[in-house]
Amino acid sequence: MSRTVHAVCSHDCPDSCGVLVTIDESGRATKVQGDPKHPVTRGFLCGKVAKYLDRVYAPDRLLYPMRRREGVAKGPLEQGREADAFERISWDEALKTIAKRLAEISEKYGPESILPYSYAGTIGVLGYGSMDRRFFHRLGASQLDRTICATTGGDALLSVYGRKLGTDTEAFRHAKLIIAWAANIHGNNIHLWPFVEEARRNGAKLVVIDPYPTRTARAADWHIAIRPGTDSALALGMMHILVRDGLYDREYVERWTHGFEQLLERIAEYPPERVAALTGIPAADIERLARQYGTTQRTAIRLNYGVQRSDNGGAAVRAIAMLPALTGAWKHLGGGLQLSTSGSFRFDSAALERPDLMQASPLGREAREVNMSLLGEALTEMRDPAVHALFVYNSNPAAGAPNQGAVLRGLRREDLFTVVHEQFFTDTADYADILLPATTFLEHTDIQGAYGHYYVQLSEQAIEPLGEARSNVWLFSQLAQRMGFPEACFNDSVDDLIEQALGNGNPENPWLKGITAETLRENGGMQRLKFEEDREGAFQPFAEGPFPTPSGKIEFYSEALEAQGVDPLPAFRPAVESRHSEEHERYPLEFLGRKADNYMNSTFANLPGHQEMERARAGVLEMHREDAEARGITDGDEVDVFNDRGMLRMRALVHANGKALPSGVVAARLSWNKLSAGGHNVNLLTPQRLCDFGGGPTFYSVLVEVRRAASSTANGC
Ligand SMILES: Nc1nc2c(c(=O)[nH]1)N[C@H]1C(S)=C(S)[C@@H](COP(=O)(O)OP(=O)(O)OC[C@H]3O[C@@H](n4cnc5c(=O)[nH]c(N)nc54)[C@H](O)[C@@H]3O)O[C@H]1N2
Ligand SMILES: Nc1nc2c(c(=O)[nH]1)N[C@H]1C(S)=C(S)[C@@H](COP(=O)(O)OP(=O)(O)OC[C@H]3O[C@@H](n4cnc5c(=O)[nH]c(N)nc54)[C@H](O)[C@@H]3O)O[C@H]1N2
Ligand code: SF4
Ligand SMILES: [Mo]
């Protein structure tokens, strides 16, 4: 007899799909499907996870703890031959070795010389941050500031509204104008698409603002191919027109916003002609967009994080986020903006992570913070103390971190003790001293919120762990015992942690009230958050105040940012690497090293089925016809793409339709280094610079030059 279990896709995706896993008598998973009862999943999975069993049962899964063989240098290993560089050891041996080395390093250099490095390999609440944080806090290790993805945009949204909430995903069906702003809905957020389509069937228009011709852009009513890093100018220009033409909601602005007078002065600096010159969008189009936005009540902006990966990204998100405050779109069903819904869940992170344990550590105080976006610098330049141990889990920084040259130089250090807990032999695993096998979401239990909807879910373990794979919670609980940490919290079970996460009775999270593991099970593994404010069947977060900001209002003007030395109002400032900067003379092309539609950051890049889906774009540099012609490049040529940080060998894909990608912009996709020609992916070219605030990286502010490779023959033959 087969049975079915409700799990949750734990990959770093806004959709957090409910997944039904079918398991046969032998305990093997035979099928995964989208949960038809989940109101956002609606019975389907994306192409990546529909093939999930290929990943779980992949022949190259990492299944046993391993130690680097004596004399084998750290560095890239050939895919499929990685195991040769390691020898299998028992878990007992692995845990003993790690505990011993960490104790020695802590003793010799101080505990802050140990750096945990993790991100969102799993966004399950326990797997993302619970026992691991307790462990590193008790150790006194450096704290990791997890900025790689969303802190700049997140902080920007918070500076305006005070909480990361947004338009209800299901309410998008009621919108009349949808703007996908740096939001690759088809690629990154596919479960929003049916609601967009439903809205369009009822007359809504879809506008996409993205320099790249995504599938979403190609399916839209209107694609505005903005120049990278200029979105703040566009949003300020739209506000200029809305105010000039009286197309804003005076009552809402007066009642619920702060700093309108100052904003008026600022937007006066952004007349359409100036904005046109900055963004590359004709003034008439800017007028048309602003008019459509200002004359439609139900306007929904799906803003995604692409826009903040740039020097001026924080200001851009702030400016865009102000648009629905100006028009009062929040009052209308289907109106508003969604960047993230993650602020709605409020799992009890203090109970899970126990930052108080730092006081009990040998350090006896709060440990220093290291910005993960500066990993290269941290491993090669940081002092007092230098980093001597790196513990990587839930992440593949050798592929995903910016300034790859420095990151790999750091990882190559023979005096750095590196532990990697992984499902596969990733680029980072190639640099491990000790390699540990991790479970997939089918093999452990967790609880999960979402950043693209308002349902909390229980993810039940569906199958036994493969080989000797173990979960993050198990690993750090075991290591704590080996270190001799006496605190009882290191013995908490998964059930205990789930109970603590839900924090029932905690006044900080009223929307989780009454939700327990049992009630979740009774409801097929999922429950909608318990909003008091649901109106017309949807959650409308900012229809009225007060707002959880310092002023209690929506903040056009932010004194809190001002206190940090940041401009309290949004403005356009050119990125250090952009067509508006001096660097542009040396490197005249703006480079977008984007995510792959068929991978999840670097995850899935090693699987043949996923590679097949991504084939047309793998190793490819997309260019505008004019840029190609000016360099004597034809479609299919091998090209060198380079800047001061490095050079990549790629194959040119020249857009026949000149309008597809703006001239002066080239694009390529993220993969594993060892699967890329020359052994490096796009992050060899990305810089160490940070955004205007929030500490995020500037993946999308990169200048390069491109030339036909010396060895290239036309059409790549
Ligand atoms: N050029 C460029 N670089 C980028 C981006 C970009 O758009 N362009 N995007 C950036 C963004 S937004 C992000 S979020 C980062 C993401 O960067 P990373 O956080 O490094 O994400 P992945 O590359 O997906 O690597 C996650 C790893 O976690 C592992 N994993 C999964 N589940 C578990 C688990 O339960 N336990 C353990 N121990 N491991 C697990 C997976 O096997 C995988 O190898 O990349 C950033 N890098
Ligand atoms: N298939 C797939 N799905 C994913 C991921 C993946 O790697 N693959 N990654 C996941 C992760 S980690 C995240 S954070 C989420 C959200 O990920 P997003 O933030 O939505 O993803 P990005 O692809 O970084 O950026 C979205 C779009 O912004 C565009 N863009 C770049 N620069 C600019 C600019 O200056 N202005 C404008 N207007 N647009 C710009 C890019 O071309 C891209 O199409 O997606 C998640 N979902
Ligand atoms: S990656 Fe996203 S869309 Fe795909 S199954 Fe997971 S949550 Fe759903
Ligand atoms: Mo991300």
Side-chain angles (χ1 to χ4, degrees):
M1 280 291 284
S2 66
R3 62 194 174 93
T4 305
V5 163
H6 174 93
V8 187
C9 173
S10 66
H11 289 284
D12 186 2
C13 168
D15 298 5
S16 281
C17 288
V19 181
L20 295 181
V21 186
T22 308
I23 305 127
D24 70 13
E25 298 116 45
S26 71
R28 191 179 169 92
T30 53
K31 187 173 157 194
V32 291
Q33 64 184 115
D35 190 337
K37 292 212 193 78
H38 191 295
V40 177
T41 307
R42 297 170 91 182
F44 76 97
L45 299 172
C46 67
K48 305 177 285 296
V49 174
K51 293 178 186 297
Y52 209 67
L53 298 182
D54 291 357
R55 179 172 177 84
V56 175
Y57 295 113
D60 50 347
R61 264 288 294 274
L62 177 56
L63 294 178
Y64 305 99
M66 294 184 157
R67 172 172 46 212
R68 175 170 298 276
R69 284 184 195 280
E70 200 79 41
V72 177
K74 298 179 181 185
L77 298 167
E78 190 188 330
Q79 199 208 2
R81 301 293 303 273
E82 294 97 336
D84 298 350
F86 297 92
E87 60 192 341
R88 184 173 162 183
I89 52 175
S90 66
W91 264 109
D92 183 55
E93 173 84 19
L95 294 167
K96 212 160 58 191
T97 309
I98 297 168
K100 182 161 168 276
R101 287 299 304 272
L102 292 183
E104 282 166 5
I105 289 168
S106 170
E107 176 81 8
K108 190 162 173 197
Y109 304 103
E112 284 171 312
S113 66
I114 300 165
L115 181 67
Y117 190 98
S118 73
Y119 197 60
T122 168
I123 58 171
V125 174
L126 310 190
Y128 176 77
S130 63
M131 205 54 93
D132 54 318
R133 309 296 163 99
R134 291 178 183 180
F135 175 77
F136 291 111
H137 288 152
R138 180 62 179 77
L139 201 58
S142 286
Q143 299 188 80
L144 188 72
D145 192 6
R146 291 177 172 79
T147 56
I148 198 89
C149 171
T151 45
T152 291
D155 285 4
L157 191 73
L158 290 173
S159 74
V160 181
Y161 292 102
R163 196 157 174 189
K164 280 161 93 174
L165 303 173
T167 304
D168 205 328
T169 307
E170 292 133 282
F172 272 72
R173 57 159 66 96
H174 301 293
K176 292 297 173 201
L177 173 67
I178 297 175
I179 303 181
W181 202 317
N184 178 12
I185 299 174
H186 259 288
N188 300 359
N189 177 204
I190 187 67
H191 291 84
L192 180 60
W193 189 250
F195 298 105
V196 173
E197 282 292 271
E198 189 178 335
R200 293 174 87 187
R201 280 198 297 278
N202 293 320
K205 293 281 179 255
L206 173 68
V207 181
V208 172
I209 303 175
D210 192 317
Y212 184 81
T214 58
R215 254 203 298 163
T216 320
R218 284 183 271 125
D221 297 290
W222 187 14
H223 174 204
I224 300 177
I226 191 171
R227 287 179 184 155
T230 63
D231 303 78
S232 54
L234 178 58
L236 287 158
M238 286 173 71
M239 289 195 262
H240 178 105
I241 295 165
L242 293 170
V243 171
R244 183 198 67 196
D245 296 352
L247 297 174
Y248 68 102
D249 186 332
R250 278 168 222 273
E251 197 193 315
Y252 187 89
V253 165
E254 193 161 306
R255 189 135 181 238
W256 299 124
T257 70
H258 168 76
F260 184 57
E261 292 305 315
Q262 291 100 322
L263 180 71
L264 287 181
E265 279 175 40
R266 184 54 59 87
I267 62 182
E269 298 167 25
Y270 294 87
E273 303 69 37
R274 179 176 177 222
V275 174
L278 293 172
T279 58
I281 306 166
D285 284 354
I286 300 166
E287 293 275 359
R288 187 174 138 217
L289 177 66
R291 175 150 293 275
Q292 278 186 18
Y293 188 73
T295 55
T296 310
Q297 275 193 338
R298 299 181 173 197
T299 56
I301 298 178
R302 178 54 165 118
L303 173 60
N304 219 322
Y305 285 107
V307 89
Q308 44 110 58
R309 308 189 203 290
S310 151
D311 303 52
N312 196 42
V317 170
R318 273 174 58 70
I320 297 164
M322 288 171 190
L323 286 165
L326 198 60
T327 61
W330 293 110
K331 296 188 310 194
H332 308 292
L333 182 65
L337 173 144
Q338 189 192 93
L339 174 64
S340 169
T341 59
S342 65
S344 60
F345 295 93
R346 294 225 170 143
F347 296 107
D348 193 343
S349 59
L352 288 173
E353 300 178 2
R354 296 288 306 272
D356 56 294
L357 288 170
M358 280 186 278
Q359 305 301 328
S361 76
L363 200 62
R365 61 168 165 81
E366 193 170 327
R368 72 175 174 193
E369 276 201 358
V370 175
N371 183 340
M372 74 188 300
S373 302
L374 302 177
L375 179 66
E377 215 171 87
L379 294 181
T380 54
E381 292 173 31
M382 185 166 271
R383 298 287 172 266
D384 299 325
V387 177
H388 288 277
L390 179 72
F391 202 129
V392 182
Y393 56 105
N394 282 349
S395 186
N396 181 15
N403 192 17
Q404 187 173 98
V407 171
L408 299 185
R409 249 193 344 273
L411 288 174
R412 210 173 287 125
R413 278 172 44 199
E414 292 296 336
D415 66 329
L416 179 73
F417 175 62
T418 302
V419 181
V420 177
H421 185 219
E422 249 303 343
Q423 297 161 350
F424 286 92
F425 289 101
T426 60
D427 287 326
T428 309
D430 289 353
Y431 295 82
D433 291 288
I434 302 280
L435 202 43
L436 305 171
T439 41
T440 66
F441 74 81
L442 264 57
E443 299 155 71
H444 56 241
T445 295
D446 210 326
I447 187 164
Q448 196 167 312
Y451 60 101
H453 62 67
Y454 290 114
Y455 295 85
V456 54
Q457 295 180 83
L458 187 66
S459 186
E460 304 259 25
Q461 181 178 339
I463 57 173
E464 285 303 312
L466 268 73
E468 293 179 5
R470 294 293 177 268
S471 70
N472 299 0
V473 169
W474 183 91
L475 166 62
F476 290 103
S477 164
Q478 290 295 314
L479 271 177
Q481 326 288 332
R482 299 294 172 126
M483 297 294 297
F485 296 159
E487 289 79 7
C489 68
F490 290 110
N491 298 318
D492 283 347
S493 66
V494 166
D495 290 342
D496 295 334
L497 291 170
I498 289 175
E499 198 179 316
Q500 291 157 19
L502 288 167
N504 246 284
N506 182 349
E508 290 290 307
N509 57 14
W511 296 335
L512 284 172
K513 198 169 171 200
I515 299 180
T516 64
E518 285 68 46
T519 63
L520 283 165
R521 274 193 195 102
E522 283 160 18
N523 288 282
M526 79 201 91
Q527 274 181 282
R528 185 172 168 81
L529 288 173
K530 304 211 162 166
F531 301 119
E532 319 83 43
E533 295 90 338
D534 264 11
R535 5 161 137 199
E536 302 172 88
F539 176 53
Q540 288 179 252
F542 301 125
E544 54 187 32
F547 296 84
T549 54
S551 63
K553 296 187 168 181
I554 298 172
E555 299 203 342
F556 293 136
Y557 188 99
S558 167
E559 278 87 0
L561 282 180
E562 195 170 28
Q564 292 175 40
V566 175
D567 190 341
L569 292 162
F572 169 77
R573 291 193 175 82
V576 174
E577 292 184 50
S578 73
R579 77 171 72 208
H580 301 292
S581 71
E582 271 175 34
E583 275 291 289
H584 193 246
E585 281 177 25
R586 290 176 59 214
Y587 294 113
L589 296 169
E590 294 177 302
F591 175 80
L592 296 176
R594 300 170 63 261
K595 298 168 169 59
D597 284 358
N598 302 295
Y599 306 152
M600 174 63 62
N601 302 308
S602 82
T603 305
F604 299 107
N606 59 316
L607 300 176
H610 293 72
Q611 289 169 350
E612 186 52 35
M613 296 194 293
E614 191 60 24
R615 200 156 58 98
R617 290 290 185 278
V620 155
L621 183 80
E622 297 181 62
M623 333 182 49
H624 189 282
R625 189 172 33 81
E626 281 171 19
D627 298 323
E629 280 172 5
R631 290 165 178 78
I633 294 167
T634 51
D635 195 53
D637 277 353
E638 283 202 335
V639 291
D640 289 329
V641 189
F642 60 98
N643 58 23
D644 287 347
R645 293 176 288 269
M647 180 160 86
L648 300 177
R649 177 65 57 90
M650 310 197 87
R651 190 162 36 83
L653 188 147
V654 180
H655 283 261
N657 172 0
K659 284 190 187 146
L661 189 70
S663 65
V665 182
V666 295
R669 296 192 182 182
L670 194 63
S671 179
W672 278 14
N673 292 321
K674 58 183 151 185
L675 302 177
S676 310
H680 292 284
N681 71 7
V682 292
N683 279 321
L684 187 66
L685 303 177
T686 56
Q688 192 69 107
R689 291 190 327 274
L690 299 179
C691 300
D692 41 357
F693 56 87
T698 53
F699 287 119
Y700 295 155
S701 292
V702 178
L703 286 174
V704 299
E705 179 53 293
V706 178
R707 65 173 172 237
R708 196 157 168 269
S711 59
S712 177
T713 46
N715 300 322
C717 35

